Amino acid sequence: MNRIARIEIFTVGLPSLRDFAVAGGSVVRSGRPAVRVLVKVTADDGAAGWGEATPIPSWTYETTESIVSTIEGYLAPAAVGRPLWDLDGLSRAFDRTISKGFSIGMPLARAAVDVACHDAFARSLGLPLGELWGRRRRDTIELAWIVAPGSAADAAASVAEGRAHGYRHLKVKVGLHTEEEDVAIVAAVRAAAPDAVLWVDANQGYTAATALRVARRLADLDIAVFEQPLPSNDIAGLRRLREASPVPVAVDESLRHPSDLATFVRLDAIDIAVAKVQRCGGLTLALRQCQLAEDCGLVVMGSGLTESDIGLAASLHLFAAFGVDTPVDLNGRQFIASPYATEPAITVSDGIAHVPTGPGLGIGVDEEVVRSLALEPARVVTRWR
């Protein structure tokens, strides 16, 4: 039986391309390395796969240090020695190893190992992830250009840049400024892109009263979705906002485990569920959450965590499996580079990403480049408890 034999953890600094911030704070700073944690899982027959975690303390509680120490000290020892095929068993082992808090324990760290195991298992069979799962409804996924400006004038310039790159649709980050400034920014984006699908994301940045006022003002701007305006644990507030808002409210940060989605469904507090691989702790739970959303008749939209190409590939496979046909927020290539990515590479043309077709994630990873980007020596776990 093919078992997990070795897990390596690389903390790397990737080139940043431009500044990016959300309501909680900075995500990428131009001129500073964008830190990502890459994980390589190797089975005892040599099959190997890669996963990624994106430490963004401004978005969630996991830091680079906590992700690395959690994988090295807890998740990797629980994974090594397990059958490579038993992805559900791996998820349950992680549940026992790192107890959940309000929802799920250390989802970003879990996601890196889970995705790497998916990649290694599918590669060992010579299958892309979609064929491993028996579901692939789309061959391409449309991306949204991210607008996170400092002013309305900056917003118009960002829209022009996105359009020059062929992007048709836009996601606007709000909650970074005053209520008046946020609405002015969205209005500037709409004026610059009158035909675009416009998606507004507050990243938990508003109070309930502010969110409702903003939603009423956004209604005149033909906004498709108002994403996560309230704190993730304010389920009652999100329910009330959904009932009163003239703009459909989507839930992102609140949906870490499938049971979170079940709670929102039972309370009739959700219409749109945002799928995100890392937030869910990896592909195993993300697949379950997307299936639950689909079975409950919810709209499923896609998003990411400013990942490099490993995370981008995992998300594309997930969204293709569920036929997500709305523009998705997979913004990594807008803000960071992936120097380790080699052939076969992910093709993005005019804002359209082609779902990889090779085995596993379907992309190439140059390990020597990964090692050259490392900010510290790789951590290696080869024994199990």
Side-chain angles (χ1 to χ4, degrees):
M1 183 181 294
N2 199 12
R3 295 182 179 273
I4 300 169
R6 179 184 179 91
I7 296 180
E8 296 165 87
I9 309 150
F10 302 90
T11 303
V12 300
L14 302 180
S16 56
L17 305 178
R18 67 186 76 213
D19 290 337
F20 178 40
V22 296
S26 176
V27 174
V28 177
R29 293 186 180 179
S30 180
R32 295 188 183 184
V35 178
R36 300 293 181 266
V37 179
L38 305 185
V39 170
K40 181 183 179 184
V41 167
T42 305
D44 52 18
D45 70 346
W50 290 85
E52 175 178 3
T54 307
I56 305 179
S58 59
W59 186 83
T60 189
Y61 61 86
E62 290 177 77
T63 65
T64 302
E65 295 81 6
S66 70
I67 290 169
V68 171
S69 63
T70 296
I71 296 173
E72 181 183 27
Y74 301 92
L75 301 182
V80 171
R82 296 192 59 84
L84 184 59
W85 65 266
D86 190 9
L87 299 166
D88 176 70
L90 181 71
S91 181
R92 289 185 288 112
F94 287 170
D95 286 340
R96 294 190 298 269
T97 303
I98 298 291
S99 180
K100 65 181 182 180
F102 179 76
S103 174
I104 183 176
M106 301 298 293
L108 307 190
R110 286 179 58 148
V113 182
D114 173 273
V115 170
C117 289
H118 272 83
D119 188 25
F121 180 45
R123 286 180 189 273
S124 74
L125 300 175
L127 297 174
L129 285 180
E131 292 183 26
L132 178 72
W133 299 331
R135 57 186 307 158
R136 177 171 168 156
R137 300 177 186 171
R138 296 184 61 87
D139 295 320
T140 61
I141 299 291
E142 183 150 21
L143 308 184
W145 182 262
I146 306 303
V147 181
S151 67
D154 294 338
S158 180
V159 172
E161 182 182 2
R163 288 298 178 94
H165 286 288
Y167 287 75
R168 298 189 303 154
H169 306 300
L170 305 159
K171 182 173 183 179
V172 186
K173 293 291 186 178
V174 295
L176 292 85
H177 311 288
T178 66
E179 180 181 334
E180 290 293 329
E181 289 171 322
D182 280 347
V183 173
I185 285 169
V186 178
V189 172
R190 173 51 79 200
D195 58 338
V197 173
L198 208 54
W199 179 3
V200 174
D201 184 6
N203 289 114
Q204 312 180 73
Y206 291 143
T207 65
T210 301
L212 184 55
R213 287 197 303 270
V214 170
R216 287 170 173 163
R217 298 177 70 177
L218 294 179
D220 294 333
L221 298 174
D222 188 25
I223 304 304
V225 180
F226 190 13
E227 181 183 341
Q228 197 70 49
L230 303 185
S232 60
N233 61 354
D234 188 3
I235 300 175
L238 285 163
R239 179 183 179 181
R240 291 194 299 272
L241 180 63
R242 172 184 172 263
E243 292 172 345
S245 173
V247 179
V249 176
V251 179
D252 177 5
E253 286 94 329
S254 301
L255 305 180
R256 297 181 184 270
H257 191 272
S259 61
D260 301 332
L261 177 59
T263 297
F264 272 86
V265 171
R266 285 195 297 269
L267 295 176
D268 196 24
I270 186 170
D271 285 319
I272 301 170
V274 178
K276 185 173 284 181
V277 173
Q278 287 196 56
R279 187 202 65 218
C280 292
L283 289 166
T284 300
L285 294 179
L287 286 163
R288 287 170 49 189
Q289 189 172 92
C290 287
Q291 188 62 66
L292 175 60
E294 183 178 87
D295 291 344
C296 291
L298 304 178
V299 174
V300 176
M301 299 186 72
S303 184
L305 275 185
T306 317
E307 295 103 332
S308 62
D309 278 10
I310 290 172
L312 172 61
S315 295
L316 290 175
H317 283 290
L318 175 69
F319 302 157
F322 287 89
V324 175
D325 58 2
T326 54
V328 306
D329 167 17
L330 295 177
N331 59 45
R333 288 197 173 182
Q334 187 177 339
F335 297 103
I336 64 174
S338 302
Y340 64 76
T342 184
E343 294 297 328
I346 299 171
T347 301
V348 177
S349 178
D350 291 332
I352 304 293
H354 294 261
V355 183
T357 58
L361 291 175
I363 65 169
V365 176
D366 188 327
E367 187 171 335
E368 291 305 311
V369 174
V370 171
R371 293 184 181 277
S372 72
L373 295 168
L375 301 176
E376 62 180 31
R379 314 290 183 93
V380 182
V381 179
T382 58
R383 295 183 178 182
W384 58 89
R385 293 171 178 171

